[in-house]
Amino acid sequence: MTKRIFVVGAGTMGAGIAQLSAQKGFETWLYDLSADQLSKAQAGINKSLNSLLEKGKIDTTSHQAIISRIEFVNHLDDAQHAELVIEAIVENLTVKHEVFKALEGLVSSSCILASNTSSLSIASISSALKKPERFLGIHFFNPATLMPLVEIIPSVLTLEKVVSQAKEIILTMGKTAALCKDTPGFIVNRVARPFYGEALRIYEEGLADFVTIDYAMTSIGGFKMGPFELMDYIGNDVNYTVTETVFEAFYYDPRFKPSFTQKRLKEAGLYGRKTGRGFYDYSIEKADPSKEVALLHQIFNRIIALLINEAYDAVLMQVAAPQDVDLAMMKGVNYPKGLLAWAEEIGPNLILNQLEALYERYNEDRYRPNALLKDRVKAGKPLW
Ligand code: NAI
């Protein structure tokens, strides 16, 4: 059983992963080049643990034990003790290559090496290694201490044994593991794209304003946040970049085309909550949404149909098993239901009709119905 984890990069994700690791009983090292980042991470972790203590979620003994399990280090040498290294540094392939080359010279021969990358391929990072078969993607969601999902992504070279060991560690951390192919956006960042993209498209066509689109998705769909609230929360800089990266990685498949509306916000520095203004201006009260029932249903039906189409595509293309696709969206981005299960509830034929109507109207590939969804409708019963 793995007991020692070395986390590289003490930013948002690295600090969260290190805290989680220590909370779950692993001896943990958190490393960063920057002394400033390390002390910020230490202060953040202390604050978070103090709040757990105040709320009675942990007692004084375990609080002390967790703190004593994390060491904050500014040299890589301690990686030699680790059974698993999780890298969460800047999203830059050249820098990641340098770090993994250095790590490979330090770690034991049985140590598993992992990256938390969101957008680089696992194969491309592993190419820096002499032994790429012990390398894989272990993709946490933000905040890592709270979000239950972890995507596990083997490359074409990763050994089966490494995948099962990584999965065991993730389960020990109390997380839900979803196994996923080394493809752009993995599961969540691929399947979720239409939640943003189609909402933006509906807005750009002038069908409804931000607040009405958000209201349709929260009131009818039961989503915790509407697309525009969520983009503002994630940050339009981050969310736009993910969309653009996925679009490029899919060889410019029009399904993933980014929106000018969001690009302009990014260019103007209107990132969302963190800058005080994005789609919404947070210094003033939000306007009231339209309560026109037909319009709200039109918005919801359109966005959910595209999301379900994308979930079917992930299954068709063997990105993940149907159960993992549904689990990933519920546990990684808080969707109220798994999309494939939701399709069964709404009626796959209604989803297909919606997509066919959109495709006929626009003649654009982004609306082409997925072949597996068509198979499901033809079969007249669930495919799994
Ligand atoms: P961040 O910018 O908050 O932190 C990156 C940290 O890496 C910084 O503390 C920086 O000093 C450090 N760093 C940079 N180069 C380094 C090097 N050569 N050696 C050691 N430390 C170095 O970034 P964030 O957001 O935590 O992202 C880290 C990784 O996690 C990226 O690969 C990102 O794609 C991925 N990720 C990010 C998520 C998010 O919501 N922020 C979610 C899931 C994955």
Side-chain angles (χ1 to χ4, degrees):
M1 221 334 254
T2 301
K3 295 185 200 74
R4 295 184 295 266
I5 299 185
F6 190 91
V7 181
V8 186
T12 312
M13 294 308 292
I17 295 166
Q19 181 182 336
L20 171 76
S21 161
Q23 279 179 227
K24 296 298 173 181
F26 296 94
E27 203 178 324
T28 308
W29 288 267
L30 180 57
Y31 160 80
D32 204 288
L33 273 183
S34 147
D36 190 39
Q37 277 293 102
L38 267 183
S39 51
K40 270 192 203 147
Q42 187 163 13
I45 291 173
N46 283 340
K47 193 173 160 205
S48 163
L49 291 174
N50 284 340
S51 139
L52 291 177
L53 182 65
E54 276 161 27
K55 287 183 193 148
K57 296 206 169 148
I58 51 173
D59 61 21
T60 323
T61 320
S62 52
H63 180 253
Q64 275 314 310
I66 295 165
I67 288 177
S68 71
R69 277 196 289 267
I70 316 184
E71 224 179 292
F72 298 84
V73 295
N74 60 2
H75 50 83
L76 275 179
D77 303 0
D78 284 319
Q80 65 182 301
H81 307 293
E83 287 145 306
L84 169 66
V85 173
I86 304 177
E87 167 275 311
I89 64 166
V90 56
E91 190 75 332
N92 175 308
L93 187 60
T94 315
V95 183
K96 289 198 198 276
H97 275 176
E98 280 166 21
V99 167
F100 277 110
K101 274 186 193 153
L103 282 165
E104 198 173 31
L106 291 167
V107 298
S108 72
S109 61
S110 61
C111 178
I112 296 177
L113 298 174
S115 175
N116 186 51
T117 182
S118 300
S119 63
L120 299 167
S121 86
I122 303 307
S124 70
I125 304 176
S126 81
S127 70
L129 296 172
K130 290 191 191 111
K131 279 175 63 184
E133 59 274 15
R134 57 149 121 187
F135 181 81
L136 81 172
I138 297 188
H139 185 224
F140 287 84
F141 288 76
N142 189 14
T145 45
L146 296 181
M147 294 310 288
L149 184 74
V150 177
E151 291 172 332
I152 296 190
I153 313 118
S155 83
V156 276
L157 293 168
T158 313
L159 292 177
E160 191 50 51
K161 187 182 74 181
V162 170
V163 178
S164 52
Q165 283 171 350
K167 190 170 172 193
E168 198 185 310
I169 296 166
I170 293 310
L171 297 180
T172 310
M173 286 184 170
K175 298 288 178 187
T176 303
L179 189 66
C180 155
K181 235 194 206 171
D182 187 11
T183 45
F186 309 133
I187 306 173
V188 169
N189 281 336
R190 169 194 188 128
V191 175
R193 299 275 47 90
F195 190 65
Y196 317 109
E198 199 54 18
L200 282 155
R201 171 76 183 241
I202 290 169
Y203 165 75
E204 285 174 351
E205 286 187 11
L207 282 172
D209 55 13
F210 306 139
V211 73
T212 302
I213 299 170
D214 278 351
Y215 182 67
M217 298 315 284
T218 52
S219 64
I220 303 177
F223 286 89
K224 292 218 171 77
M225 275 190 219
F228 296 101
E229 283 176 289
L230 186 54
M231 286 184 275
D232 270 0
Y233 180 79
I234 294 169
N236 287 305
D237 49 339
V238 174
N239 186 265
Y240 178 81
T241 306
V242 175
T243 305
E244 195 175 52
T245 310
V246 170
F247 179 54
E248 284 167 8
F250 274 103
Y251 307 109
Y252 306 101
D253 187 319
R255 277 152 58 211
F256 301 110
K257 196 156 84 182
S259 122
F260 287 124
T261 302
Q262 194 180 25
K263 188 173 190 190
R264 295 294 176 265
L265 290 196
K266 183 192 166 198
E267 288 166 346
L270 302 178
Y271 295 159
R273 283 192 173 273
K274 62 187 170 191
T275 58
R277 192 173 151 197
F279 292 106
Y280 295 107
D281 182 343
Y282 292 90
S283 65
I284 55 172
E285 219 174 287
K286 269 186 198 168
D288 287 331
S290 160
K291 299 276 169 75
E292 203 187 311
V293 177
L295 174 65
L296 295 175
H297 278 279
Q298 191 192 346
I299 295 166
F300 170 73
N301 291 346
R302 195 163 152 170
I303 297 176
I304 200 74
L306 266 83
L307 281 169
I308 287 169
N309 206 37
E310 216 45 66
Y312 266 97
D313 194 62
V315 178
L316 176 71
M317 301 314 288
Q318 314 274 303
V319 172
Q323 297 75 6
D324 280 2
V325 171
D326 271 3
L327 210 59
M329 303 316 286
M330 288 190 291
K331 305 286 186 184
V333 270
N334 271 328
Y335 280 18
K337 294 168 198 168
L339 292 166
L340 300 164
W342 212 337
E344 293 303 322
E345 215 178 284
I346 297 172
N349 55 327
L350 296 182
I351 301 295
L352 182 60
N353 291 347
Q354 171 79 54
L355 290 164
E356 281 173 346
L358 287 165
Y359 190 71
E360 190 182 297
R361 174 159 151 74
Y362 294 105
N363 255 296
E364 284 177 52
D365 254 2
R366 68 192 267 124
Y367 300 113
R368 69 180 182 249
N370 185 264
L372 197 59
L373 172 63
K374 289 191 204 163
D375 291 347
R376 161 64 189 89
V377 173
K378 253 189 227 147
K381 60 178 174 39
L383 297 175
W384 42 79

